[in-house]
Amino acid sequence: MTTTSAPVGARLSTLDRFLPLWIGAAMVIGLLAGRWIPGLEGALNAVAVDGISLPIALGLLVMMYPVLAKVRYDRLDTVTRDRRLLLPSLVLNWLIGPALMFALAWLTLPDLPEYRTGLIIVGLARCIAMVVIWNDLACGDRDAAAVLVALNSVFQVVMFGVLGWFYLDVLPGRLGLDTTTLDVSAWQIVKNVLIFLGIPLVAGYLSRRIGERRKGRDWYESRFLPRVGPVALYGLLFTIVILFALQGNQITSRPLDVVRIALPLLAYFALMWAGSYALGKAIGLSYERTTTLAFTAAGNNFELAIAVAIATFGAASGQALAGVVGPLIEVPVLVGLVYVSLALRRRFTPAPTS
């Protein structure tokens, strides 16, 4: 992708330009496969280690590696010194995001406690994986994205269980609402972070370090990265097919429930993204860092949310269904917001190149 003032569509490769079509097709293929191919869901669930689906893990690792291989790790200090970016990101992710999802879940699903709890868990699981794709497609600052997802990972390990206790037990009790106990181990969260962020982050760092040392930066950025770049979108499409194949029967057999769950999710993604984008513009961030702030605040770690819901309440529970509907809504909405972000780019002063 370039930084010219050409129309949005002209700045995207053919693969990127028709990404909504490919994602829609992947979702449909996954849903139909899970519904119509006998034994597929059971076979995919059987290919798991310690509760982690190997096909989904493979897809996410393939998806994230090319983006993290593009990061200029020698420039990360410019991100860590930017308090205008780091502080708003932490506030949006760990104060506003969970509180907003809690409010939306109770306002829209007061009569459906299982789905309500599932949505609150989704709100607690801040994004560390798929957000790197949305940020890259929208030409955000990938170096900043690497720092923010790393921060989210650290806070996720420390705060997920605490916030789960607060939003499912303490706060509802104080408000006279129904309470729920969330049984999640610190190891489950650490494991999720190490696999879905740690492995591709280390691989990306080593690729750049070894590639630049042996072949030089020009070769690495002009020859190597263009070859591995498209692999990220193939990994994304593969992950979507597998994810929806695993839950295809559950989603298609309960369409009205899916609609009820989808409404607060739509509101959540729109409010978090638009509010974060407006905040970034208001405090004077560049387009690239405003975009990164918005997508890292709006995205959620659906892998962790689903894993926690299944481990605590069971695979057939309403909480698990709410977790599964999360990416069903998040994927097309955030793809749409990629195009909205690119269209808004002209409103920003171009960032100076280094």
Side-chain angles (χ1 to χ4, degrees), residues 132-207:
V132 298
I133 287 289
W134 312 137
N135 179 73
D136 214 48
L137 289 172
C139 298
D141 187 329
R142 65 172 61 100
D143 300 342
V147 171
L148 294 185
V149 296
L151 277 177
N152 274 349
S153 300
V154 173
F155 272 77
Q156 200 147 246
V157 172
V158 175
M159 296 300 297
F160 186 89
V162 175
L163 290 176
W165 167 71
F166 178 75
Y167 281 108
L168 294 175
D169 189 2
V170 175
L171 185 58
R174 293 290 180 89
L175 298 175
L177 305 172
D178 296 336
T179 61
T180 305
T181 300
L182 184 63
D183 181 18
V184 56
S185 69
W187 167 240
Q188 188 173 21
I189 302 169
V190 171
K191 177 179 62 178
N192 186 273
V193 169
L194 289 176
I195 292 175
F196 296 122
L197 177 63
I199 293 175
L201 185 62
V202 170
Y205 172 78
L206 292 177
S207 292

Side-chain angles (χ1 to χ4, degrees), residues 137-301:
L137 289 172
C139 298
D141 187 329
R142 65 172 61 100
D143 300 342
V147 171
L148 294 185
V149 296
L151 277 177
N152 274 349
S153 300
V154 173
F155 272 77
Q156 200 147 246
V157 172
V158 175
M159 296 300 297
F160 186 89
V162 175
L163 290 176
W165 167 71
F166 178 75
Y167 281 108
L168 294 175
D169 189 2
V170 175
L171 185 58
R174 293 290 180 89
L175 298 175
L177 305 172
D178 296 336
T179 61
T180 305
T181 300
L182 184 63
D183 181 18
V184 56
S185 69
W187 167 240
Q188 188 173 21
I189 302 169
V190 171
K191 177 179 62 178
N192 186 273
V193 169
L194 289 176
I195 292 175
F196 296 122
L197 177 63
I199 293 175
L201 185 62
V202 170
Y205 172 78
L206 292 177
S207 292
R208 179 171 283 277
R209 185 172 180 84
I210 295 171
E212 289 187 356
R213 179 179 296 175
R214 293 185 176 180
K215 298 278 191 172
R217 178 165 294 170
D218 288 343
W219 174 87
Y220 184 83
E221 296 191 346
S222 65
R223 300 287 296 276
F224 179 75
L225 290 182
R227 291 179 181 176
V228 302
V231 173
L233 295 185
Y234 300 143
L236 171 65
L237 297 176
F238 174 80
T239 302
I240 291 171
V241 170
I242 297 299
L243 179 66
F244 288 100
L246 280 168
Q247 303 294 338
N249 186 61
Q250 193 173 7
I251 291 173
T252 56
S253 64
R254 301 158 79 175
L256 294 180
D257 290 353
V258 169
V259 172
R260 288 288 304 272
I261 298 168
L263 293 177
L265 283 169
L266 284 169
Y268 173 83
F269 293 130
L271 289 171
M272 284 298 294
W273 189 89
S276 303
Y277 202 95
L279 175 62
K281 185 75 165 68
I283 63 178
L285 294 179
S286 65
Y287 166 80
E288 290 77 11
R289 293 196 172 177
T290 295
T291 297
T292 300
L293 179 68
F295 280 101
T296 51
N300 291 92
N301 186 352

Side-chain angles (χ1 to χ4, degrees), residues 111-128:
D111 57 328
L112 296 170
E114 290 189 359
Y115 299 155
R116 185 177 64 236
T117 298
L119 283 184
I120 293 172
I121 293 172
V122 170
L124 300 178
R126 312 313 300 168
C127 197
I128 65 169

